[in-house]
C-alpha cells in the first residue's frame, strides 16, 4: 500500500498560482506584429474576451478559481498522485519516483484544466462560439469537451493531414458536439487563398491558426481559444502543482527534482511553477524541462522575438524559438512539435531556474514501454519525454548510490496514440537530430525582429 | 460539490462476496460435454489451475482477496462513485442517478478486476503462460495487462475479422508484451482444420476459444483464462458492488434500483450481487440487467443446458442461451454479443431476483451521446446499454413525479470504440430485432441436451 495519494474534493486548490508575481526578471511584453509596439488589451480584444485578456496581463500572485470552474474540474480532480514502486524496481534505482496522473480527465490529458476555464470566461463575457486549431487533436478534443460543459458551440480547424490520418480525435470532438473541419478549408479567406495556390497541401498548424483567428475576428459572437503558450493558459494548469504539493505532504516526501515535457509548455508549467516559486524562495529543488531532440526549442534555439504562428498574424512574443517557419520532423509526440515555447518558461530558463534537456524518440518509447509493463498505464508519446528524463535522473541516483525524490507530470494516456507504439515495437521508427545548418537557416527568419533582453541571475 | 465519492486505499474490500452462499435455489452443476455427467474438479484440471477450480466450486460466503491481488487492484481502485447531476438535469428527472466509474483501469474497463486475480492464482500454481480468446479485444487487453503485472506470458487468439478491422486493442496488448494472433491460426489443430476447409473465414469467438483451450491442454506450463460467465470470474468482480455500498453510505443514499449491462455477465454481477444479497434478505431493491435486442439472451432465450463455445468443447452449462450456433448481428457492443449468460445470473433471473430488459442499439447511442455531452466521459457501447436502462427508469420517475435512487455500473470508456459513435452520428446505424423464427431455429440445437430445473420462488 502507500501507492496512491488522493485528496478529498474539498482539498482542491481554490486559487491559481501566477508566477509573474515571483519572477526575478519580469516578463517582456508581446509586440504588435505590424507596429512592433507593445501590445495593449485593445489589440487582443478582437479574438479574446476582456476577462481573459486581463488575466493574461495580471501580476497578482493568487487568482481565485470561479466556483463554476471548480465544479467542472471536480469531475476528475483532484487527480491522483502515485508512487511508481514498480518502475523503481524495474530500474533498480534507489530513487523514489512520484507521478501526477493527469490522464483521468474525459479526453485523457491535462488540457481540459484550461479548456474548462477558458470556456467559462468566454461564456461569462457573452461569447457563444469558440474557434481553435488542433494538430493531432488533443487540444481540439479538450476544448470540444469544455464547450459541451458550458453550452458553447465549438469549431475546430484540424490540420488536414492529421484529419485524414488520425480520425479518432475528430470522432471524439463530434461526440461532444463540436464541428471539426480539415484545414485549409474554403470557409476563410486564408484557407481559400492557400487552397487556390496548392490544392493538395497537407495543411499546417500555422495555417489552421490563421483560419481560426480569422473566423473569430470576423464574428462578434465568436472568440479564439489557445491551448498552450499564453500566460493565462499556463496559469490555469497550476492546479496540477498545487495539488501535487499537498499530496507530496501526504506521502511524507519533498521532490529533489521536478520534471515535465515541454511543447508549448502548459503541462510542464502546471506542475513546475509552484515548485519554481519554492526555488526562488531558496528551497533546493531542480526543475527539468524535457523536449524532443527533433524539436530542440529550449536546448538549442535562441531567445528571440518571434510569431506564435507560421504566417505572422499573432503578436511577436519573447521566447526561445526555432523560427516561425520551422517544420519539425513527424515524430509521434505531436504535442511537442512547436517552434516556440511559452514566454514565461523561456524567461525562467534564461534565469537558470529551469534546466532544459532533450531526448531522442527511441529512448522515449523504450522508457514508455518499460513504464507500461511495470506501472500499467500506457503513456502518451509526449509524456514519454518526461519519463525519459525520469530514467536519466533515476540512473544517476543509482550510480551515485543515493536516494533522490523525483516528481513528474504524467500528462496524458496514450490510448489514442497506439500506432506510434506499434511502429516502435516493430522497428519502424528512427531518431533524428536537427543539423546546425537547419537551426541557422530557420533562425535567419528572425533577424529583423527586435531583440528581447536575456537578463540572467548571476 | 458532492459529485464524486472516493474511498481511501485502506477502505478497499478485503474479501470477495460469493453469492452461491445466499442463493435461494442452488446452482445446478455443469455437465461433461461427452458423458453428460456432472463435471468434477479433475475434468477442469487440464485448462485451469486447482486453486481457481476450487474457487469456482466454493460456496463460502466470503473469500479473502490475497494481498498481492489487492496491491495490484490499488493501482486504480477503489474506483470513484459519482452522482450524475448533469445527466439528471439533461433528463429533467427527479431521480438521483449514481454511477460506479470502472473506466479508470489501465485498459479502461472493469475486466482487469478478474484478470489480475486470475494471473495471480495461475502464477501461484506454477503456471508460466496463459492463453485466451478475444473478440473486440477488451478482455485480451485486460489479460495482457494483468500478465505483465505478474511476469506471465500471454497469448491471445483474436477473431480474425476484429484483428484486421480493430487494430488498436491488439497494439495495446503488444505494449504490455502479449502475443496476439488472428484466429483461426496455423498454430493449432482446430485452426488448421478450419483454415483448410475455408481459408477466407473471418473467424469466430467459438473458434478462438477452441484454439486457446487446445493450446492450454497441450502444454503443462500453460492454462486457459476466461473473462466472464464462470463463477470465479463473477466473484472477482464483486469488489465493484462492495465498494459501491460503502460509497452510497458516504452519499447518504440507498439505491431503489441497480442497473448493469449483460454480455457474459461479469460487470453486471460485480455491481449487482451484493445488492441481490440485500434483496434476498428483505431489502426493497430492484436489480435490472440490460442487454441488446439483437442478442436477447435473458429476455427471450430459454433456460437450457448448452455449450459455452460454438464447437462444443466446453462443459454444458445451465443458462439462458440463444443456442451455441447463434451468430448475433454485428452491433457495436461487441462485449454483449454472446449466445449465453453466466449460470449464476441465469438462475437468479429464474428466481425473479433480477429483471432483464432489452434495448435497441440506436436508443443506446442516443443515451450515450446525451451522457457524454452532460457528464463528459464517453461510455463504451456496452455501457450504453446500462445507460439506456437508466434513462427508462429516470423517465418513469419523472412521469410518476417521485424521487428514485438509481445506481448503475459505468463499465468502461468508449475511447477505443469511436467508430461506432461516428457511424451513429452520421446516420449509418440501424436497429435489429431477432425474429421468432431465428430464435426457434437456434434453440433447436439444444433439443437433445438435458434440461435444467427452472425452480422459481413463488
Amino acid at each position: 500500500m502507500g501507492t496512491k495519494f488522493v485528496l478529498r474534493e474539498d482539498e482542491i486548490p481554490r486559487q491559481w498560482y501566477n508566477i509573474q508575481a515571483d519572477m526575478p526578471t519580469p516578463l517582456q511584453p508581446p509586440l504588435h506584429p505590424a507596429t512592433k509596439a507593445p501590445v495593449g488589451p485593445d489589440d487582443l480584444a478582437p479574438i479574446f474576451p476582456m476577462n481573459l485578456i486581463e488575466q493574461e496581463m495580471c501580476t497578482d500572485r493568487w487568482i481565485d478559481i470561479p466556483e463554476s470552474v471548480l465544479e467542472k474540474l471536480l469531475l476528475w480532480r483532484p487527480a491522483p498522485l502515485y508512487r511508481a514502486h514498480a518502475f523503481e524496481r524495474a530500474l533498480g534505482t534507489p530513487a523514489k519516483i512520484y507521478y501526477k496522473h493527469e490522464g483521468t480527465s474525459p479526453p485523457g490529458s491535462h488540457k481540459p484544466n484550461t479548456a474548462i476555464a477558458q470556456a467559462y470566461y468566454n461564456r461569462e463575457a457573452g461569447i457563444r462560439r469558440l474557434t481553435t486549431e488542433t494538430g493531432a487533436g488533443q487540444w481540439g478534443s479538450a476544448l470540444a469537451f469544455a464547450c459541451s460543459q458550458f453550452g458553447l458551440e465549438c469549431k475546430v480547424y484540424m490540420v488536414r493531414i492529421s484529419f485524414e490520418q488520425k480520425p479518432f480525435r475528430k470522432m471524439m470532438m463530434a461526440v461532444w458536439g463540436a464541428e471539426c473541419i480539415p484545414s485549409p478549408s474554403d470557409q476563410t479567406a486564408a484557407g481559400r487563398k492557400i487552397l487556390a495556390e496548392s490544392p493538395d497541401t497537407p495543411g499546417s498548424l500555422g495555417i489552421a491558426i490563421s483560419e481560426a483567428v480569422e473566423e473569430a475576428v470576423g464574428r462578434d459572437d465568436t472568440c479564439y481559444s489557445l491551448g498552450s503558450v499564453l500566460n493565462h493558459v499556463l496559469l490555469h494548469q497550476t492546479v496540477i502543482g498545487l495539488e501535487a504539493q499537498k499530496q507530496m505532504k501526504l506521502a511524507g516526501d519533498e521532490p529533489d527534482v521536478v520534471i515535465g515535457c515541454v511543447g508549448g509548455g502548459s503541462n510542464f508549467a502546471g506542475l513546475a511553477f509552484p515548485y519554481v516559486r519554492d526555488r526562488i524562495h531558496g528551497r533546493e529543488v531542480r526543475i527539468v524541462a524535457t523536449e524532443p531532440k527533433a524539436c530542440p526549442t529550449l536546448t538549442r534555439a535562441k531567445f528571440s522575438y518571434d510569431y506564435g504562428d507560421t504566417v505572422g498574424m499573432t503578436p511577436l512574443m519573447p521566447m526561445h524559438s526555432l523560427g516561425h517557419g520551422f517544420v519539425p520532423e513527424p515524430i509521434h509526440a505531436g504535442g511537442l512539435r512547436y517552434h516556440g515555447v511559452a514566454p514565461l518558461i523561456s524567461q525562467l530558463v534564461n534565469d537558470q531556474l529551469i534546466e532544459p534537456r532533450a531526448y531522442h524518440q527511441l529512448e522515449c518509447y523504450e522508457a514508455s514501454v518499460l513504464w507500461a509493463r511495470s506501472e500499467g498505464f500506457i503513456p502518451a508519446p509526449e509524456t514519454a519525454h518526461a519519463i525519459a528524463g525520469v530514467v536519466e535522473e533515476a540512473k544517476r541516483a543509482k550510480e551515485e548510490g543515493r536516494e533522490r525524490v523525483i516528481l513528474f507530470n504524467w500528462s496524458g494516456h496514450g490510448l489514442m496514440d497506439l500506432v506510434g507504439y506499434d511502429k516502435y515495437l516493430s522497428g519502424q521508427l528512427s531518431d533524428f537530430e536537427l543539423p546546425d545548418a537547419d537551426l541557422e537557416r530557420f533562425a535567419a527568419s528572425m533577424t529583423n525582429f527586435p531583440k528581447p533582453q536575456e537578463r540572467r541571475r548571476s
Side-chain angles (χ1 to χ4, degrees), chain A:
Chain A
M1 308 241 174
T3 295
K4 190 156 84 278
F5 303 92
V6 176
L7 299 177
R8 296 188 314 270
E9 288 205 336
D10 61 8
E11 293 174 297
I12 194 169
R14 297 182 167 269
Q15 296 182 307
W16 290 302
Y17 167 61
N18 185 358
I19 200 160
Q20 292 202 59
D22 288 307
M23 290 170 79
T25 309
L27 206 58
Q28 295 171 69
L31 306 179
H32 193 282
T35 67
K36 310 283 193 291
V39 158
D42 290 346
D43 293 316
L44 299 173
I47 57 171
F48 295 120
M50 199 49 74
N51 50 13
L52 281 177
I53 294 171
E54 283 163 8
Q55 213 168 60
E56 178 71 13
M57 300 186 166
C58 179
T59 55
D60 295 349
R61 181 169 290 112
W62 299 103
I63 295 175
D64 288 344
I65 307 178
E67 279 297 317
S68 300
V69 171
L70 277 176
E71 188 191 302
K72 301 295 185 190
L73 295 182
L74 283 172
L75 187 57
W76 73 97
R77 305 203 73 85
L81 181 135
Y82 286 82
R83 169 91 183 267
H85 288 291
F87 194 60
E88 292 169 16
R89 281 194 297 272
L91 293 174
T93 177
K96 293 171 159 183
I97 300 171
Y98 292 89
Y99 67 103
K100 183 73 173 160
H101 188 337
E102 289 292 317
T104 62
S105 71
S109 80
H110 68 290
K111 288 287 185 196
N113 294 331
T114 184
I116 287 287
Q118 291 190 49
Y120 166 79
Y121 283 112
N122 274 284
R123 195 197 60 178
E124 288 303 289
I127 295 302
R128 282 201 326 105
R129 297 174 73 248
L130 288 178
T131 62
T132 197
E133 77 292 331
T134 200
Q138 204 161 35
W139 168 244
S141 58
L143 193 67
F145 157 66
C147 285
S148 79
Q149 288 287 310
F150 285 102
L152 299 179
E153 287 178 35
C154 181
K155 170 116 160 247
V156 181
Y157 290 89
M158 186 169 184
V159 175
R160 181 179 293 279
I161 181 88
S162 298
F163 186 90
E164 286 164 2
Q165 290 181 351
K166 300 189 173 184
F168 299 105
R169 287 271 177 198
K170 90 185 168 220
M171 292 178 190
M172 210 191 276
M173 296 180 222
V175 173
W176 282 314
E179 183 187 1
C180 175
I181 63 168
S183 166
S185 76
D186 62 2
Q187 301 193 10
T188 66
R192 284 188 295 270
K193 180 163 182 288
I194 290 159
L195 282 177
E197 288 163 6
S198 40
D200 296 328
T201 174
S204 76
L205 214 44
I207 297 168
I209 293 177
S210 305
E211 294 202 80
V213 167
E214 180 184 323
E215 181 171 337
V217 169
R219 287 184 59 158
D220 280 350
D221 64 348
T222 301
C223 273
Y224 168 71
S225 175
L226 191 64
S228 193
V229 179
L230 299 179
N231 304 341
H232 68 275
V233 180
L234 275 54
L235 174 81
H236 299 155
Q237 294 291 354
T238 57
V239 287
I240 301 172
L242 296 170
E243 284 180 7
Q245 289 186 323
K246 293 185 184 187
Q247 289 163 310
M248 289 302 294
K249 279 209 176 62
L250 289 182
D253 268 321
E254 278 295 327
D256 299 307
V257 54
V258 174
I259 300 176
C261 63
V262 173
S266 77
N267 96 76
F268 169 79
L271 179 66
F273 280 4
Y275 286 102
V276 174
R277 181 181 185 225
D278 287 354
R279 188 179 154 108
I280 290 169
H281 289 86
R283 195 171 91 68
E284 273 199 36
V285 52
R286 288 164 48 233
I287 318 279
V288 174
T290 66
E291 64 182 10
K293 287 216 179 199
C295 190
T297 319
L298 287 173
T299 48
R300 295 177 63 200
K302 288 188 183 140
F303 184 58
S304 320
Y305 266 110
D306 198 6
Y307 299 119
D309 66 334
T310 306
V311 296
M313 289 180 66
T314 74
L316 289 161
M317 290 183 293
M319 61 182 181
H320 287 82
S321 174
L322 292 157
H324 55 274
F326 179 71
V327 181
E329 286 291 294
I331 56 167
H332 281 274
L336 307 185
R337 296 175 66 237
Y338 183 63
H339 68 272
V341 72
L344 286 172
I345 293 171
S346 293
Q347 186 63 56
L348 292 164
V349 168
N350 285 346
D351 286 348
Q352 298 177 3
L353 289 163
I354 295 171
E355 302 168 37
R357 301 244 188 92
Y359 296 95
H360 275 305
Q361 178 162 260
L362 291 181
E363 62 191 325
C364 293
Y365 272 109
E366 186 188 352
S368 261
V369 168
L370 184 67
W371 180 273
R373 291 180 185 179
S374 52
E375 288 295 319
F377 294 104
I378 298 176
E382 291 82 6
T383 310
H385 287 73
I387 301 176
V390 170
V391 169
E392 182 177 347
E393 290 289 332
K395 285 190 174 163
R396 197 181 306 161
K398 188 177 179 179
E399 285 159 20
E400 296 171 0
R402 50 185 285 262
E403 199 181 82
R404 175 177 309 193
V405 179
I406 302 168
L407 168 64
F408 80 100
N409 199 7
W410 202 91
S411 55
H413 67 62
L415 299 188
M416 314 303 290
D417 306 283
L418 291 165
V419 170
Y421 281 97
D422 187 51
K423 289 191 174 164
Y424 167 71
L425 291 170
S426 56
Q428 295 174 58
L429 293 188
S430 56
D431 283 335
F432 174 84
E433 192 147 4
L434 195 67
D436 283 334
D438 284 8
L439 210 60
E440 284 157 24
R441 183 162 56 87
F442 287 110
S445 66
M446 298 177 286
T447 42
N448 293 324
F449 295 165
K451 293 278 167 260
Q453 304 220 332
E454 272 214 38
R455 281 166 281 191
R456 286 171 186 276
R457 293 198 310 175
S458 58

